[in-house]
Amino acid sequence: MSSAAVEAARRVVSGLREACATPATRLADVAAALAGEMEAGLAVEGGSRVKMIVSYVDSLPDGGEEGSFYALDLGGTNFRVLRVRLAGKEARVAERVAREVPIPPRLMSGGDATSERLFGFVASALAEFVADEGHDADGERQRELGFTFSFPVRQTSIASGTLIRWTKAFSVDDAVGEDVVAALQTAMSKHNLHMRMSALINDTVGTLAAGSYYDDDVVAAVILGTGTNAAYVESADAIAKLEPSQLPKSSNIMVINTEWGGFDSPCLPTTEYDRALDKESLNPGEQTYEKLISGLYLGEIVRRVLLKISSRCSLLGDVGGGTELRTRFVLTTPDVSSMHHDETPDLTVVAKTLADRLNIRGTSLETRRMVVEICDIVATRSARLAAAGIVGILRKIGRGGPGDERRSVVAVDGGLFEHYAKFRRRMESTLEEMLGEEAAARVVVKLASDGSGLGAALVAAAHSQS
Ligand code: ADP
Ligand code: MG
């Protein structure tokens, strides 16, 4: 390879590194800006891009819940149906049956994607699950269902709410503004499914509930999967926009679904690749923070950087000559993760990923090292920004400061955090860097795998009518 080509590529990478930099001062700014936006979102409806949605969840499960409950979890790539049998404090979740169903892409966006079809699909999957389960010990008791729906919803009660807008890979126009529960209930009655919808929640709220079920010190929950979001426990007096009718009945707490993915601030480090990605996305101008952090986007950002390099030099083959570098979303975040973790001396995982996904062959070891470096830059920015977000929430509720002796647990769910080890380690070390070693020792980040599904069942149980 000519050294001019290498030089050209290096310039792209160093430009990227500079634009993605997240020094401590900048992260502190991000945390402070987020805390400020949270405050503004609590003050008045629409006061911030960070929506700070009142979830109506004013009591969290404590472990004493009993009975069988169903849950649906819709929000990312897969859709999950679940039944749990809760058996009180000793046994906790005595039984758990879950099924994962991939959502056909044509129901997620495009001409065929209508509210009726999407919820019809959900209802039929639920009907099949219930039928396969047969009649359980519940006998004649009406089945209760919690629904985790991980998009911004304007809640009107614990079990109703209208869709504000789609995010991630969903865009089903006629569902916006619609009551999500009513839409699903209509679809369910077409399948002769008679279940009581006891709770409509977001996956972050579900993760918070599931976390609290096992650990009393859980104060917040974060999703780091296809998208990103956070929920936390706020004291009701701190929510200026709370209407009298929304005041909690028997507690002084309210779970807030922050919708932090919508956070935007000049202090966020963005690049030309982020701006182009945003412009071509399903929701331009929205979800800025999410687009810097979450699993739907990291692979796509890396692809765009590689495309740029290939337009400057020949190190990555010829775009005109058959590489897939122009194909959006061909490179996924799991691909980025496996390249980033490639421990082989010749970076054979990188070589294979470039070949399989992008049809790029015959790269030099030096070029493959550069690809790993790009993955590292993009994932590190994401992990550090996610950590800054957590610090922002802790600051907002006065937790994790130097004098705070309390243990504060943050429950985290999502494939990005669960499966991307370097991401996770970087996020945890950034928390320590930002909070200081001593305070960080009392802040526990805990994996709450599939908290979102279990959480819906738990909130349904905690708000059960029977
Ligand atoms: P969802 O967010 O759709 O509910 P998950 O929590 O399972 O589902 O997260 C799935 C997302 O996690 C994927 O879209 C992907 O971006 C990310 N992910 C899954 N596996 C990995 C991996 N090995 N490395 C990095 N990211 C991963
Ligand atoms: Mg999920």
Side-chain angles (χ1 to χ4, degrees), residues 75-78 80 203 223-227 295-296 333-334 337 413-416 419-420:
T77 328
N78 285 309
R80 298 181 188 90
D203 53 357
I223 300 295
L224 291 162
T226 307
L296 180 55
T333 299
S337 168
D413 188 13
L416 181 62
H419 302 302
Y420 197 153

Side-chain angles (χ1 to χ4, degrees), residues 70-73 144-148 196-201 456-457 460:
Y70 287 80
L72 297 174
D73 181 2
E144 289 194 79
L145 177 70
F147 184 18
T148 301
R196 184 192 291 126
M197 194 90 77
S198 310
L200 171 67
I201 60 167

Side-chain angles (χ1 to χ4, degrees), residues 50 55 59 63 74 82 101 126 157 165 207 222 345 350 363 372 379 445:
V50 181
S55 72
S59 66
L74 176 70
L82 181 83
V101 191
L126 174 62
S157 74
R165 60 187 150 77
T207 302
V222 172
V350 177
T363 49
V372 175
V445 173

Side-chain angles (χ1 to χ4, degrees), residues 302-465:
V302 171
R303 179 194 68 84
R304 285 169 182 273
V305 179
L306 298 181
L307 176 61
K308 171 91 172 197
I309 290 173
S310 82
S311 75
R312 293 288 167 87
C313 64
S314 54
L315 295 186
L316 291 169
D318 182 2
V319 179
T323 80
E324 291 295 326
L325 273 171
R326 285 196 191 284
T327 310
R328 283 184 216 162
F329 293 97
V330 270
L331 195 67
T332 66
T333 299
D335 293 333
V336 170
S337 168
S338 51
M339 292 195 289
H340 198 175
H341 290 100
D342 189 353
E343 301 281 347
T344 63
D346 295 333
L347 297 178
T348 48
V349 178
V350 177
K352 185 165 171 22
T353 307
L354 292 176
D356 292 354
R357 292 285 187 259
L358 298 165
N359 199 26
I360 295 172
R361 287 160 217 280
T363 49
S364 68
L365 180 57
E366 187 181 8
T367 300
R368 295 197 291 279
R369 283 207 188 100
M370 196 175 63
V371 172
V372 175
E373 193 180 338
I374 294 165
C375 296
D376 184 59
I377 294 170
V378 171
T380 299
R381 177 182 65 165
S382 161
R384 288 175 67 78
L385 288 177
I390 291 174
V391 172
I393 290 185
L394 293 173
R395 298 270 189 262
K396 170 71 190 66
I397 54 177
R399 292 253 175 184
D404 185 10
E405 296 296 325
R406 294 167 297 180
R407 185 170 166 267
S408 299
V409 180
V410 180
V412 184
D413 188 13
L416 181 62
F417 180 80
E418 185 174 359
H419 302 302
Y420 197 153
K422 287 193 175 177
F423 172 92
R424 183 170 174 171
R425 280 204 295 277
R426 241 143 256 193
M427 190 181 108
E428 285 166 353
S429 66
T430 307
L431 275 174
E432 191 173 314
E433 177 187 325
M434 292 186 75
L435 296 169
E437 202 178 323
E438 220 188 295
R442 287 185 295 274
V443 172
V444 181
V445 173
K446 208 168 163 176
L447 178 68
S449 206
D450 192 32
S452 66
L454 175 62
L458 292 170
V459 176
H463 291 79
S464 163
Q465 327 238 303

Side-chain angles (χ1 to χ4, degrees), residues 101-436:
V101 191
I103 305 165
R106 69 188 159 76
L107 297 183
M108 293 163 72
S109 70
D112 279 353
T114 64
S115 168
E116 193 181 343
R117 289 201 184 111
L118 178 63
F119 287 111
F121 174 80
V122 169
S124 75
L126 174 62
E128 243 172 69
F129 180 76
V130 170
D132 292 352
E133 282 269 276
H135 290 282
D136 56 6
D138 289 352
E140 294 303 294
R141 221 189 102 227
Q142 188 177 31
R143 297 182 172 97
E144 289 194 79
L145 177 70
F147 184 18
T148 301
F149 182 72
S150 306
F151 301 95
V153 163
R154 183 161 295 115
Q155 295 268 165
T156 42
S157 74
I158 182 73
S160 60
T162 56
L163 176 63
I164 299 171
R165 60 187 150 77
W166 293 105
T167 58
K168 296 168 281 187
F170 281 75
S171 184
V172 185
D173 290 348
D174 65 339
V176 175
E178 195 178 46
D179 186 324
V180 179
V181 173
L184 180 56
Q185 218 121 40
T186 305
M188 279 163 55
S189 51
K190 285 189 189 148
H191 287 272
N192 272 322
L193 264 181
H194 303 289
M195 298 171 102
R196 184 192 291 126
M197 194 90 77
S198 310
L200 171 67
I201 60 167
N202 190 281
D203 53 357
T204 47
V205 176
T207 302
L208 184 65
S212 308
Y213 183 69
Y214 291 110
D215 189 331
D216 291 338
D217 293 332
V218 170
V219 295
V222 172
I223 300 295
L224 291 162
T226 307
T228 185
N229 191 8
Y232 73 106
V233 184
E234 184 57 278
S235 68
D237 341 304
I239 311 171
K241 69 176 177 184
L242 217 52
E243 307 279 341
S245 65
Q246 296 174 304
L247 282 168
K249 306 278 175 289
S250 53
S251 71
N252 186 41
I253 61 146
M254 180 61 80
V255 174
I256 297 290
N257 162 21
T258 65
E259 288 296 336
W260 83 2
F263 175 49
D264 198 355
S265 161
C267 60
L268 290 174
T270 54
T271 66
E272 59 184 282
Y273 313 104
D274 305 305
R275 287 185 285 278
L277 180 154
D278 175 58
K279 224 167 120 193
E280 293 169 29
S281 69
L282 289 170
N283 51 355
E286 289 169 10
Q287 300 293 103
T288 305
Y289 187 59
E290 176 164 270
K291 286 171 183 161
L292 298 176
I293 290 181
S294 79
L296 180 55
Y297 304 105
L298 300 187
E300 174 65 2
I301 297 170
V302 171
R303 179 194 68 84
R304 285 169 182 273
V305 179
L306 298 181
L307 176 61
K308 171 91 172 197
I309 290 173
S310 82
S311 75
R312 293 288 167 87
C313 64
S314 54
L315 295 186
L316 291 169
D318 182 2
V319 179
T323 80
E324 291 295 326
L325 273 171
R326 285 196 191 284
T327 310
R328 283 184 216 162
F329 293 97
V330 270
L331 195 67
T332 66
T333 299
D335 293 333
V336 170
S337 168
S338 51
M339 292 195 289
H340 198 175
H341 290 100
D342 189 353
E343 301 281 347
T344 63
D346 295 333
L347 297 178
T348 48
V349 178
V350 177
K352 185 165 171 22
T353 307
L354 292 176
D356 292 354
R357 292 285 187 259
L358 298 165
N359 199 26
I360 295 172
R361 287 160 217 280
T363 49
S364 68
L365 180 57
E366 187 181 8
T367 300
R368 295 197 291 279
R369 283 207 188 100
M370 196 175 63
V371 172
V372 175
E373 193 180 338
I374 294 165
C375 296
D376 184 59
I377 294 170
V378 171
T380 299
R381 177 182 65 165
S382 161
R384 288 175 67 78
L385 288 177
I390 291 174
V391 172
I393 290 185
L394 293 173
R395 298 270 189 262
K396 170 71 190 66
I397 54 177
R399 292 253 175 184
D404 185 10
E405 296 296 325
R406 294 167 297 180
R407 185 170 166 267
S408 299
V409 180
V410 180
V412 184
D413 188 13
L416 181 62
F417 180 80
E418 185 174 359
H419 302 302
Y420 197 153
K422 287 193 175 177
F423 172 92
R424 183 170 174 171
R425 280 204 295 277
R426 241 143 256 193
M427 190 181 108
E428 285 166 353
S429 66
T430 307
L431 275 174
E432 191 173 314
E433 177 187 325
M434 292 186 75
L435 296 169

Side-chain angles (χ1 to χ4, degrees), residues 9-30:
R10 289 245 62 95
R11 269 198 300 280
V12 173
V13 177
S14 57
L16 176 74
R17 183 179 289 289
E18 215 166 283
C20 289
T22 50
T25 49
R26 188 183 273 260
L27 290 184
D29 289 347
V30 170

